[in-house]
Amino acid sequence: MQRKITWMLFLIFGISALFSSCQKRIEPIHTVTYVYKNETTSNLVIEVYDNGIKFKHFPISPNEEVETGTTREEGPAPFLFYEPTMKYGDSVVIRFSDNRCINFSRNSGVDIYGDKIFDYRKYDNYSEQLVSGNTFTLIYSITEEDYNSSLACE
């Protein structure tokens, strides 16, 4: 009888340990809107690419802004689009009107977040408090400094 009780206790302990270790931690869903501002004196276009194919573009006049979309994910995901099918931009080119460009890559190899425009922590209004909320807007400004660092487009 003692052996049966001991065996049952180990069985119950093992099953409960198995269930507690298999539980998946689910992050809450965040609704994030992305706004990009052109603080330069040049017209520009934000071009979004997936595997070298441009699938979205957003023209922005000087001192204007554009809302590129809203995501509903576990965390911020710039350049994720749901229509017509889900596409996740892997690179972005900011093309200024005088044929100057800046290239950004999601998988830059430098940082797990990707280049500057993909790293939501580098957005103008980023704070840990902001992104802990369920619904928020992230704002990214393209500045004269960005323009000055741009190169002739290829």
Side-chain angles (χ1 to χ4, degrees):
M1 185 69 171
Q2 182 64 28
R3 188 181 286 170
K4 189 174 187 178
I5 292 173
T6 304
W7 177 82
M8 289 295 280
L9 288 173
F10 278 111
L11 180 63
I12 291 170
F13 177 74
I15 290 172
S16 64
L18 178 66
F19 281 124
S20 65
S21 67
C22 290
Q23 288 180 346
K24 189 174 171 182
R25 182 169 184 256
I26 298 174
E27 295 291 326
I29 297 297
H30 298 280
T31 302
V32 185
T33 302
Y34 303 90
V35 173
Y36 296 89
K37 293 182 175 184
N38 180 0
E39 293 183 352
T40 72
T41 57
S42 299
N43 288 311
L44 64 84
V45 177
I46 298 174
E47 300 174 343
V48 185
Y49 292 82
D50 180 36
N51 292 318
I53 299 170
K54 179 172 70 172
F55 69 93
K56 289 272 187 187
H57 68 280
F58 302 95
I60 315 174
S61 299
N63 301 309
E64 297 291 327
E65 63 185 44
V66 66
E67 182 180 306
T68 61
T70 301
T71 59
R72 290 189 37 78
E73 297 294 321
E74 292 177 356
F79 304 106
L80 170 63
F81 301 96
Y82 300 108
E83 308 97 24
T85 60
M86 190 161 146
K87 286 211 177 224
Y88 208 34
D90 61 12
S91 60
V92 167
V93 174
I94 298 176
R95 187 177 305 272
F96 295 97
S97 58
D98 58 355
N99 204 37
R100 295 177 62 91
C101 292
I102 303 175
N103 298 305
F104 299 99
S105 175
R106 180 177 305 282
N107 302 316
S108 65
V110 175
D111 189 339
I112 63 168
Y113 292 96
D115 288 338
K116 186 177 172 185
I117 204 166
F118 287 102
D119 187 348
Y120 65 88
R121 301 168 306 155
K122 295 186 178 163
Y123 279 55
D124 301 352
N125 63 330
Y126 168 80
S127 72
E128 287 187 24
Q129 183 179 4
L130 176 74
V131 298
S132 68
N134 289 335
T135 302
F136 55 92
T137 298
L138 285 171
I139 301 167
Y140 185 91
S141 294
I142 301 156
T143 64
E144 286 295 331
E145 184 180 318
D146 293 317
Y147 174 82
N148 293 335
S149 69
S150 66
L151 302 172
C153 298
E154 296 177 5

